[in-house]
Amino acid sequence: MAQKRMIVDSNSYFRLAQNIHPLLCQPFGQEELTLYIHAELNEEFRRSPRLQNKFHWVAEGKYVENRSRSISLNSEQKTTIQAAYEYMWEHVKDSFLRPRGKGPSPVDTRIVATAQILNILIVTDDRDMIELAKEFEVQHITSLGLMKLMLDSEKIDDEKVDLVVEQWIYDNDTPHREWKGEFKKLFGRIAPDG
């Protein structure tokens, strides 16, 4: 059976990879779900002292090694993704940046374009990115949704789910305001409180 690829954006990667390792390139479940990053995640991390300080563990060898493979693209896919990105970026400027002053970043927009062209799922907690994905009919799930898939396929257990959530609370890096409700809906129990 062929792998079913998924692309993990930076916010979900930073929330999950420290406690679920190796996170990437390891098929799981009957569908052989396999997580990849976009190649620009490593560059985004290198350019941001804030990310380097907050997520210092990302620079450790085992995590660098796990991120060494990103989604591979042929030249035709790259060209098509670039065209989709340019169209989406104009939409982001018109529908997000001009009226709201904020929205998906260029990297986030490129990830949505990549997922659209490859017809793969995005893992993200970024509300603007989720909105963009919905507008362009790109499938997406949250970090909690991904952990539920992993739990159902026995890649992780309830103890690991709780460990990840407790880390979010400790780091003051929970996904969104309603995350506890999402947790209860997905896992059928109250979220740990750190």
Side-chain angles (χ1 to χ4, degrees), residues 12-45:
S12 290
Y13 175 80
F14 294 135
R15 285 191 179 112
L16 298 170
Q18 183 177 18
N19 291 302
I20 303 173
H21 182 77
L23 179 68
L24 307 172
C25 306
Q26 302 288 316
F28 65 93
Q30 287 185 328
E31 294 182 278
E32 294 200 11
L33 301 169
T34 309
L35 302 167
Y36 291 90
I37 58 162
H38 194 280
E40 292 187 28
L41 182 143
N42 287 322
E43 188 57 36
E44 181 181 3
F45 182 73

Side-chain angles (χ1 to χ4, degrees), residues 124-148:
T124 184
D125 296 319
D126 183 301
R127 297 290 143 197
D128 290 331
M129 201 170 166
I130 289 170
E131 185 178 338
L132 182 64
K134 285 179 182 176
E135 289 176 9
F136 285 90
E137 299 180 354
V138 175
Q139 294 181 322
H140 57 278
I141 59 172
T142 62
S143 296
L144 286 168
L146 176 60
M147 285 200 295
K148 176 65 170 143

Side-chain angles (χ1 to χ4, degrees), residues 34-181:
T34 309
L35 302 167
Y36 291 90
I37 58 162
H38 194 280
E40 292 187 28
L41 182 143
N42 287 322
E43 188 57 36
E44 181 181 3
F45 182 73
R46 273 193 287 276
R47 286 190 315 248
S48 174
R50 182 187 67 79
L51 291 176
Q52 292 171 21
N53 185 47
K54 185 171 184 177
F55 303 107
H56 55 87
W57 55 267
V58 172
E60 292 177 20
K62 66 181 183 179
Y63 300 107
V64 171
E65 171 64 27
N66 192 231
R67 290 192 316 276
S68 65
R69 289 179 45 212
S70 58
I71 286 223
S72 57
L73 304 169
N74 63 39
S75 59
E76 182 181 332
Q77 288 169 326
K78 288 178 184 176
T79 301
T80 308
I81 289 167
Q82 181 62 27
Y85 164 76
E86 290 170 7
Y87 182 81
M88 281 186 195
W89 184 242
E90 289 304 314
H91 175 77
V92 166
K93 289 191 288 189
D94 292 341
S95 298
F96 289 85
L97 301 180
R98 288 187 186 109
R100 302 180 196 176
K102 65 181 191 77
S105 70
V107 172
D108 292 342
T109 305
R110 189 170 300 282
I111 289 170
V112 175
T114 301
Q116 181 190 52
I117 297 307
L118 299 180
N119 193 29
I120 61 176
L121 191 122
I122 298 172
V123 181
T124 184
D125 296 319
D126 183 301
R127 297 290 143 197
D128 290 331
M129 201 170 166
I130 289 170
E131 185 178 338
L132 182 64
K134 285 179 182 176
E135 289 176 9
F136 285 90
E137 299 180 354
V138 175
Q139 294 181 322
H140 57 278
I141 59 172
T142 62
S143 296
L144 286 168
L146 176 60
M147 285 200 295
K148 176 65 170 143
L149 289 175
M150 291 178 159
L151 180 69
D152 291 347
S153 69
E154 300 179 354
K155 179 174 174 68
I156 62 174
D157 57 19
D158 283 317
E159 186 177 326
K160 181 65 77 173
V161 171
D162 289 354
L163 177 69
V164 171
V165 170
E166 288 165 0
Q167 184 78 49
W168 295 349
I169 294 166
Y170 178 80
D171 291 340
N172 195 25
D173 188 34
T174 54
H176 52 83
R177 258 180 284 179
E178 302 85 26
W179 74 270
K180 287 184 179 181

